[in-house]
Amino acid sequence: GGTCVKVTGEGGKVKHACDCESASNSKHKFAGLFCEHSSTSLCMLPDASSIGGDDRTNLVGFCTNGGACETTVQMDGYHPGCECQEGFEGEHCELTLGISAPDSVTLINQSIRNDDDDGSNVFVFSFSLVFASLVTLALFLYVKREDITHTIRKRNLAFSSATLSEMH
């Protein structure tokens, strides 16, 4: 099976998904929500088919569930897409027709797998929270100071009026 990884989706929401690269070996690539679909077709040019061993694990073009490659590619080429058998869909024919992939699977398939961002996202969030708290505190203190200043002025004005009344 694949390795569980954290994926940051839209709005910074962190989800978990399976990274199927770790499930791949020299004979098969895997796809699907739980990396449960083994490749049934590799989209390599004939001269690339002689490549064996671990080098084949870098292949990006493959289809599952009896899908056929739309075209063939060099070893490090892009995934050309698959013509899926009836009842299947998806980039590698890994999805049952009519059941869309969760965002986390889509993000994994688009190679958005940067676990290093987790630390920086936490830092940015923490910094933003502290900054917002300080701004709120400063605004509260300013309003409080203005309220106290207004009260003192009001008392001074009342005192001045009373003093003037007594003098007359």
Side-chain angles (χ1 to χ4, degrees), residues 6-45:
K6 293 179 184 176
V7 180
T8 305
E10 289 184 30
K13 186 174 182 180
V14 176
K15 299 179 181 184
H16 291 85
C18 288
D19 176 7
C20 296
E21 284 300 312
S22 63
S24 298
N25 58 42
S26 62
K27 294 183 180 187
H28 295 283
K29 300 286 284 182
F30 292 87
L33 184 59
F34 302 107
C35 307
E36 70 274 22
H37 300 288
S38 175
S39 58
T40 54
S41 176
L42 299 177
C43 309
M44 295 185 298
L45 290 172

Side-chain angles (χ1 to χ4, degrees), residues 49-87:
S49 63
S50 63
I51 297 171
D54 292 337
D55 290 336
R56 291 182 76 179
T57 61
N58 295 329
L59 180 68
V60 295
F62 68 95
C63 302
T64 63
N65 294 311
C69 301
E70 290 185 3
T71 187
T72 54
V73 295
Q74 293 290 341
M75 196 58 184
D76 57 353
Y78 66 95
H79 175 56
C82 301
E83 291 185 28
C84 301
Q85 293 285 324
E86 187 175 330

Side-chain angles (χ1 to χ4, degrees), residues 81-98:
C82 301
E83 291 185 28
C84 301
Q85 293 285 324
E86 187 175 330
F88 295 99
E89 63 183 347
E91 186 177 8
H92 301 282
C93 303
E94 74 276 19
L95 302 173
T96 303
L97 191 63

Side-chain angles (χ1 to χ4, degrees), residues 103-154:
D103 292 342
S104 54
V105 172
T106 303
L107 290 171
I108 288 290
N109 286 339
Q110 294 172 350
S111 297
I112 303 177
R113 290 180 254 147
N114 193 348
D115 290 335
D116 296 337
D117 286 344
D118 289 344
S120 63
N121 287 342
V122 169
F123 174 77
V124 169
F125 176 76
S126 298
F127 179 78
S128 299
L129 187 62
V130 168
F131 182 74
S133 297
L134 289 174
V135 168
T136 303
L137 179 63
L139 184 62
F140 173 77
L141 292 175
Y142 175 77
V143 168
K144 192 72 171 166
R145 187 178 125 230
E146 286 296 313
D147 187 43
I148 290 170
T149 303
H150 178 71
T151 302
I152 291 171
R153 285 186 186 149
K154 197 170 158 183

